Amino acid sequence: MDELLKIREEAIRRIKEASNLKDLNSVRVSYLGKKSPIQAAMKSMKTMKQEDRASFGKISNQVKQEIAKAIEEMKANLEEAEMNARLASERIDITLPSNVVPIGSLHPISVVKDELEELFLGMGYEVAEGPEVETDIFNFQYMNLPKGHPARDMQDTFYIDENTLMRTHTSPVQAHVMLEKEGKGPIKVICPGKVYRRDDDDATHSHQFAQCEGLVIDKNITMGDLKGTLEVFAKHMFGEKREIRLRPSYFPFTEPSVEVDISCMNCGGKGCNICKGTGWIEVLGAGMVNPHVLEMCGFDPEVYQGFAFGIGLERCAMLKYGMDNIRDFFNNDLRFLEQFSRKG
Amino acid sequence: MLASLKLLNNYVKVDDQDAAELAEKITRVGLEVEDLKELAYATQLVVGYVEECVEHPDSDHLHVCQVRIGDDEVQQVVCGAPNVAAGQKVMVALPGCELRGGKITKSKIRGVESNGMICSVAELGIDQRLLRPEDKDGIAVLPADAPIGADALDVLGLRDYILDISLTPNRSDCMAIQSLAYEVGAVLGRKVTLPEVKKYDELPSDLTVDVETPLCPFFGIKLVKGVVTKESPEWLRNYLMASGVKPINNVVDISNFVMIETGQPIHMYDYDKMKKKGFVIKTGFDVTTTLLDGIEYQILPTDLIVSTDDGIGCVAGVMGGNDTKIDENSVNICIEAATFDAPTLRATARRMNDLTDASQHFIKGAVDTASSLRVLDRCADLLVQLADAKEVYETVSTPLDIPEKVVEVSVERVNGLLGTSLDAAAISEVFDALAFTYKIDDDVFKVTVPTYRNDITMAADLIEEVARVYGYDNLPSTLPFMEATHGVLTEKQFKEKVIRDTLVDLGLHEVLTYTLTSEDCVNDFNLFHPFDHTVKMMSPLSEERSVVRKSLIPSLLQTIKYNQDHANKDVCIFEISNSYSDNELSLLAIAGTGAYKSVPWIGHREMVDFYLMKGFVEVLAKKFNIEPNRYTLERVEKDNKDFHPGKSAYIIINGKKMGVIGQLHPLKAKKYGVKNTYVAELNLTDLLTVRTKKLTFAPIPQYPSVSRDLALVVDADVPARDIERVISRASKSLVKAMTIFDVYEGEHIEKGKKSVAISLQFQDLKRTLDDKTINDVTERILDELDKQLHATLRS
C-alpha cells in the first residue's frame, strides 16, 4: 500500500519535471504502460488476503487515474507553452510599411458633380446632357441672344463656322430639354457639362470649365421657389450654416435675373480676404426663365413659368476645398488628385 | 463706368450719405459698385501762406519757406518746387498728413528742419493721365482769397467720391449720370431734378440734314456762333476728372460733360471749314481718308458716314474727319446729336480698333433718342455760359417721332412670378420710387416706360423692377410645389458612373484634361472618328488648342509626362469625355506606367503591362455583363504606328471595333516623351448600348467538383484563347472553369513549341461525377486538342 503511494508521489514529481511533450510521453509509458511499477505492484495482489486485495485494487486504480489526470494537465500546459513559443518566434515588425495597394480618386470636379447630382436626383430632378459642339441657334438665339446682341460680348466664343461653336454655357441644354418636351410640363432637370470661352488660361480663367444648369418649369413655379432651392443647394454644398443673398443682375435668358451670393464659409460672414471683406461670395447666376425663351422653345409663357440657374463647378470646388488656382484642375498632378481619394 | 458723387448730387441729393453705404445700396439694386475711391486723397492738408521764401543754404534747388497756417502758427517747410515764392497761397501737408505716397513726418532736409510739405496737385492721388502739365511741374498756387488754415481739398473742389460701377448690358442707360440718378432716387426714396436748360432767342439756321439710310433713326444739328475756346472752370474740370475724362478746353469739355450727363455722344464740326452747309448721312463710301487723329483709315461701303462737302465729315459715332474738325481757333460750331445703328458702328469701330467712349455709348445703347433735342439745347446753353457763345441757331433735324411705350402687368402676375403677396399699393410704391408714370385699372398696372429705360419691354421686366426695389431679401423662400417627378440617372449616365467608381476602386485616378488639342495630335490614336473630318476653331487662342480631340490618349500621355516631370513615377489614370468629328462619341481612356502595386521593402513591384490593362477592361465588361465569349481580341496591324504591333489588340464586339488595349508604339512614346506606357481606349457610345442578358440568379452547385491538370505541348504561336475554346467545346459543358497556370518555352521543349499547363474544373450540376465520366471527357478533350491544334500531352 505504501509502495503505491510512493509510486504516485514519484510519478507526480516526474510529470512536473517533464519539460516537453516527449519527456512527458516517456513518463506516461513508464507509469501507465505494461511495465509500469503499478503493474508490478499489482502482481503482489495474488498473495494478499481477500479483504486487502479489494482495497489494494481500489487504491491502485485511483493512483492510475490520478497519474493519468496529472499527465493530461501537464500535456495541456506544455502544448500551450509550445504554441506560445512558436507564436513568439513568428513575431514580425508591424511597423514595416504596408503593401502598396493602389487607392484611386475621382477628379474633384466629378466629386462636386456627383454631389450635385445626388442632391437634385433626390429632389426629383433628372440629369440632361447636350452637345459641346453646339449651334449658334441653341447656344445664343434660343437663349434670347440674337446676332448682334451686346451681351454676346460677355461670352467670348470659339466659333467653328458661322453657325457652329463650342458651347459657352450649359444653358442651351435648357432649349434641348424644352423642345423635347414639346410644350408640356413639368420639367425638372439639371444639366452638368463642359463649356468653353475664348479666354487665356491663368490662375482664375480657363478656356474650358464645367457648369451645371438647373431648370424647373411648371405652371406655378415662383422666384421664391428659386430662392428656396438655392438655399438647399448652398447648405448641402457648403454647410448648414450658409445663407444666400440674391442680387439683381442681367442674363438675356432670364427675367428677373439675379447673382447669388453665399455667406462666406471661411469667416462666416464677418469679412475676410476670401470674401474681400464683404462676408459674401458670388457663386452662381439664376433667374426666372425669360418668356421669350419659353416661347422659342415651344412653351406657352401665359401658362408656364419657371426658374433656371447655372453653377460653376470649378468655382464650387475651389471654394469648398480652398483652392486658388483653376489650372490645378487641368494639370492633374497626382499629388493634387490623391487628396480627393478621401470621401467627404 | 465712373460716377462722381459730387456730380450725382446735382440731380439727386446724396451729399448727406455715407459713400460706402450708398455704394452697397446701389449694388443691391443691381448696379454693382466694384470700387469706391476718393478723387483726391489727403488728410490734414491745409491752406498756407508763404510769408518768406529763401534759398536753402546747402542746396542749389531747395527753398526754405516760412508758411503761415493759422493766426498764431507759422511753420518752416523745405520745398523743392521751382515755382514756390513768397506771397503765394499753397497746400501744406502737415506732419501726420497721409497722402497716397505715404505719411508726412517732421524731418531735417540737408540740416534744415522741415515741418511738412508744400504739395502739387499730382501728389493727391488723382489719376496722373488726367492732369495738366502745370499740375505735375510745380506746387499748386491757390487763389489769393483762399482762407489760411482751411481744408485745401475743399478749396480746390477735389473732395469727391468716385463709384466704379460695373453695368450689366441691359442697363447701359446708366452710363448717363441722369439715369443713374433715377436709380439712386429709387434707392433713397428721393426726387430727381434735371438741370434747367435755358432757351435762347434762336436764329434761323442755314444748315441742311439729309438722311439716306435707315441706319440713322435720328440726326439733329445745332449751330452756335462766337465761341471762345479757353480753359474750363475748375468745377467742370473736376467733374470730368472724377468721371475719368481728361479736361482739354471748354468746348471739348462741354461735349464730354453733356455725354456724361445725358448718355448722348456729341460731335462738333467747324462751321467755317464747311463749304456746303449740309450734312448727308449715308453708306457706300469706299475711300481712304485722314481722320481727326491724323491717321489714314480705309472707309468701307458698309460704314455709316456723316458726309460734309461730299467727303467724310465724320465716321458716324466713331471718329470725326480731319477737314471739319474743331480746334482752339474755331468760332462757329455745329453740334451733332444723333442715333446710329449699333451693330454697324460696332463693326466699324472694331475694324478701326477705336472703341472710344463715345462709340461705346452708341454700341451699348446708352442713347435716349427722345431727349436728343433737349441735349442739343443743353449743349448750346453751356457754350453760352462757359464759352461766351454769342448766337444760338435753331436745331435742324430729322423728325423725332418716338411713340409712347406702355407695358402692362397685373398684381396677380407680380405675385405669381415672385411668390409674394404684395398689394397694388406696395407695387405702386416701387413704380413711384422709380418715377414711372402709370394707371391702375382693376389691379392691372399700365406703366408708361420712361424713354431712357430701353430695357423694359414686357411684364417680366416690370416684375423685375418690383423685385429689385422691393428687395430680394424680402422674397419668401419655398420649394417648388408640383406634380411628383422621379429623379433617376439614364442608363448611360448610370453606366458611366459605374465605370468611374469601378476604376477608382481599382486604384486609378480620374483626370480632367482639355477638349481642345493641336492639329499635330488630333489623329494620333484616333480609332473611332474619320481622319479627314476635324472640328477646327475659326480663331483659336493658340495652335495647341485649335481643334477638338478625337482620342483621349494624347491628353492622358501629356498628363503622364507632366507627372513624370514632377517626380510622380507610377501613374495609372483614366478619363471619360466626349469627342467630336462629324459625330459625338463618348470615350473612356486608361493609361498607365510604372508600378501598379508594390511591396517596396522586399523589392516587389507589379508593373503596368498589357495584361493589367486587359484586366481593367475585363472587369468593366463583367460589370456590364458582357460575357467573355461576346468579344474577341484581334491583334493590331503589323504596320500600326500608334501601338506596339506585337503587344496591342483591338476589342471586337459583333464584328465592330469597340476599343483597343496595348503598349505605345516606340515612335509615339518618343513623341509624347513617355516610356513603358500602356493604354486602353473604349468607345462608350457603342459599348454601353451592346445588348446584354438581364441578371438572373443561377443556383449554387450541389455536387462536388473535381480538378484535373493538363500539361500540353503546342506550336508556340497557338493563342491560349484557342486552347481554351477547344477545351470548352469538347467538354460538353462539364468543364466549369479553367485556369492556365504556366506557359513555358525553352529547355526540354522542342524549338518552336511551348508548354501550356492548364487546370480544369469538372462539375455536373445534377450528380456527383465518377472517374469514368471525367476520364472519357478528358480523352475527348485531348483528341480534339490533337486534331485541331496538334497539341499533345507533355511526357
Side-chain angles (χ1 to χ4, degrees), chain B residues 17 20 23 119 183 206 217 277 339 410 443 458 502 537 590 627 644 727 750 770:
Chain B
Q17 298 290 309
C119 295
E183 290 292 308
D206 61 346
K277 306 300 180 189
T339 302
S410 66
D443 270 1
M458 58 181 175
T502 302
M537 303 304 110
I590 306 174
E627 292 154 353
H644 187 308
I727 293 172
E750 197 184 324
D770 55 34

Side-chain angles (χ1 to χ4, degrees), chain B residues 150-215:
Chain B
D151 184 297
L153 288 187
D154 284 337
V155 169
L156 283 172
L158 291 173
R159 195 165 288 288
D160 194 0
Y161 281 95
I162 302 171
L163 302 175
D164 187 350
I165 305 176
S166 167
L167 294 175
T168 52
N170 61 325
R171 292 309 308 273
S172 295
D173 62 293
C174 287
M175 290 168 97
I177 204 95
Q178 283 180 0
S179 205
L180 179 66
Y182 283 106
E183 290 292 308
V184 175
V187 169
L188 300 177
R190 287 182 180 174
K191 203 174 165 318
V192 173
T193 23
L194 297 186
E196 241 175 76
V197 178
K198 194 176 169 199
K199 250 321 204 178
Y200 296 90
D201 289 335
E202 294 185 336
L203 303 164
S205 174
D206 61 346
L207 296 173
T208 61
V209 168
D210 196 1
V211 175
E212 296 181 357
T213 162
L215 300 176

Side-chain angles (χ1 to χ4, degrees), chain B residues 25-54:
Chain B
K25 283 178 186 166
I26 295 173
T27 298
R28 293 306 303 277
V29 293
L31 304 175
E32 190 183 353
V33 178
E34 287 191 320
D35 192 17
L36 172 69
K37 57 183 181 222
E38 282 157 286
L39 169 62
Y41 179 78
T43 61
Q44 298 181 49
L45 187 70
V46 297
V47 177
Y49 176 71
V50 183
E51 292 188 335
E52 185 191 311
C53 176
V54 297

Side-chain angles (χ1 to χ4, degrees), chain B residues 495 617-631 651 653 686-693:
Chain B
K495 284 182 170 175
V617 171
E618 281 178 357
V619 168
L620 294 177
K622 194 160 183 183
K623 286 266 175 181
F624 298 123
N625 201 25
I626 300 174
E627 292 154 353
N629 61 6
R630 294 289 303 278
Y631 56 88
I651 301 159
I653 300 181
D686 287 347
L687 193 70
L688 297 185
T689 49
V690 168
R691 298 181 102 194
T692 54
K693 278 190 210 144

